[in-house]
Amino acid sequence: MVQRDEPVIESRVLGKNIKKTPEQTNLKKVIKNLLENSPYGVLATQYKSQPYASLLAYAFTGDLRNIIFVTPQTTRKYKLLNNCKQVAFQVDNRSSNPTNLMSIESLTATGQAHQIKFGSSDYKKFCKLLIKRLSYLKDFTESPSCSSYSVSVVRYFHVIRFQEVSEWAI
């Protein structure tokens, strides 16, 4: 069963009739590079049609299917994630290119967030990735007052030059 997250809105899915830029030639590599070089991202959630954005530290799986993060159970983010699983997650490289606006790249992942059950095999595997990437989160990750989440990514949208959008569906 294909998991859908939202209707595609006029983005360009790379195909044989579209001339690819060098940045789009290997989109999976570009996505991985942006994720590796951006230690923080923005998680977009919603509640009763009201959007909300949260800055967070994260890790991701090598196959790009999961984005992992931890949040305290006392946060608005935690409450919103338990009310609506549909999320978007965004990273960009603007800090690498502050004076050249046309070289900034942005990446948005869409999918569903799932709480990872403490002590499960997924918990051990995903938290290990998070701690390997961001060792300072070890105590935070293991705290009983925090919950770990995985975003099951359905698609990525890669934007270059503020208007050229490519999509990579998992």
Side-chain angles (χ1 to χ4, degrees):
M1 180 173 116
V2 175
Q3 185 182 25
R4 302 293 294 171
D5 55 338
E6 85 286 323
V8 175
I9 305 168
E10 302 208 24
S11 65
R12 180 172 54 176
V13 180
L14 295 179
K16 15 182 178 170
N17 298 330
I18 297 172
K19 186 178 178 190
K20 298 177 186 178
T21 64
E23 295 91 343
Q24 296 167 326
T25 303
N26 190 344
L27 193 51
K28 185 175 181 180
K29 221 181 220 179
V30 170
I31 290 168
K32 198 169 201 170
N33 185 52
L34 270 169
L35 289 171
E36 283 175 350
N37 291 305
S38 304
Y40 302 100
V42 177
L43 180 74
T45 54
Q46 63 179 331
Y47 180 67
K48 295 185 179 180
S49 300
Q50 182 63 40
Y52 187 74
S54 306
L55 185 64
L56 53 85
Y58 68 95
F60 60 96
T61 56
D63 61 6
L64 305 177
R65 292 181 181 272
N66 298 281
I67 295 171
I68 302 104
F69 63 93
V70 176
T71 186
Q73 296 167 0
T74 56
T75 62
R76 177 175 297 168
K77 181 180 359 164
Y78 177 81
K79 179 181 177 184
L80 296 178
L81 286 166
N82 286 316
N83 282 299
C84 181
K85 307 270 183 235
Q86 298 298 109
V87 298
F89 180 76
Q90 189 267 336
V91 297
D92 62 57
N93 69 347
R94 71 187 123 154
S95 63
S96 303
N97 302 295
T99 59
N100 186 353
L101 293 177
M102 296 311 281
S103 68
I104 295 173
E105 296 178 65
S106 177
L107 180 67
T108 300
T110 59
Q112 291 188 1
H114 304 280
Q115 190 170 357
I116 305 167
K117 186 177 177 185
F118 183 80
S120 69
S121 61
D122 278 346
Y123 176 86
K124 292 172 186 168
K125 175 177 71 172
F126 288 158
C127 287
K128 186 176 180 181
L129 283 172
L130 192 60
I131 293 166
K132 181 179 179 185
R133 177 171 159 90
L134 306 162
S135 60
Y136 59 88
L137 290 179
K138 185 174 186 337
D139 292 339
F140 189 63
T141 302
E142 296 171 351
S143 170
S145 64
C146 293
S147 289
S148 299
Y149 281 86
S150 170
V151 175
S152 297
V153 177
V154 174
R155 75 185 57 169
Y156 287 95
F157 295 97
H158 177 245
V159 181
I160 56 175
R161 291 182 273 287
F162 286 94
Q163 61 188 358
E164 295 176 34
V165 180
S166 301
E167 175 188 346
W168 187 61
I170 298 220

